Amino acid sequence: MNNKYKTSVADSDLLVASHVRWKLKLAIAIANNETLDVTTIARDDCCVLGKWLHGTDTYARISHLQSYSECMKKHAKFHLEASKVAELVNAKQYDVAQHLLNNDASDFNQASDDVVSSIFKLEKEANSEVNHKQRITATVWKNNWRNETRPTK
């Protein structure tokens, strides 16, 4: 995303990567028979993406974008699905939990894919808005410059 939105294309890639790591975290918990904090996993404001989305600076800058609300909804849905997998892990239903992680058609994977798509949609909309404003600013500046440099009669 653009500097105006305090992130860049590289940052949005990092946001996606940090989000995708949830699948790995859950798989490791299954492999190690770990107990997970379902309450925290269910929250959409504790992970890197969630902290960015819920941040006051982000909200002030891009909450008016339609893709921002969509990203927020998709992200919350993902955490709901991730918490369901975590509940299965805690209940020692490892095969069922692993199936949800491996099955591309599972609600977990669908929610994960939706979040990734929504991040890139948000990035595209934010950049489009910034580029439009930059074109307007450049046109105004160019017109002012022309008016200032014209000889007076």
Side-chain angles (χ1 to χ4, degrees), residues 14-141:
L14 290 173
L15 291 173
V16 168
S18 72
H19 162 75
V20 171
R21 276 195 297 265
W22 275 104
K23 188 172 187 174
L24 180 60
K25 290 176 189 176
L26 292 167
I28 289 170
I30 291 168
N32 294 333
N33 300 330
E34 295 174 7
T35 300
L36 299 168
D37 182 352
V38 175
T39 303
T40 302
I41 292 170
R43 292 184 54 182
D44 72 338
D45 62 346
C46 294
C47 66
V48 173
L49 176 59
K51 288 176 183 177
W52 181 77
L53 285 169
H54 287 277
T56 54
D57 191 53
T58 302
Y59 184 84
R61 294 175 189 275
I62 63 172
S63 64
H64 65 282
L65 300 176
Q66 180 179 348
S67 55
Y68 174 81
S69 326
E70 182 181 330
C71 192
M72 290 285 285
K73 288 176 190 169
K74 304 282 185 183
H75 185 239
K77 170 74 170 152
F78 168 78
H79 278 278
L80 174 66
E81 296 305 325
S83 72
K84 291 177 184 177
V85 175
E87 286 175 344
L88 291 168
V89 172
N90 288 352
K92 301 193 183 325
Q93 295 180 15
Y94 303 119
D95 290 341
V96 179
Q98 190 66 54
H99 177 73
L100 291 177
L101 295 182
N102 294 339
N103 180 358
D104 289 341
S106 73
D107 290 343
F108 171 83
N109 280 310
Q110 191 59 56
S112 180
D113 291 346
D114 288 348
V115 169
V116 171
S117 296
S118 71
I119 291 168
F120 288 120
K121 231 177 175 177
L122 177 57
E123 176 183 46
K124 183 177 180 182
E125 186 178 5
N127 284 337
S128 175
E129 180 180 90
V130 168
N131 290 337
H132 176 71
K133 287 180 180 177
Q134 286 172 344
R135 283 192 302 274
I136 290 171
T137 302
T139 302
V140 169
W141 181 85

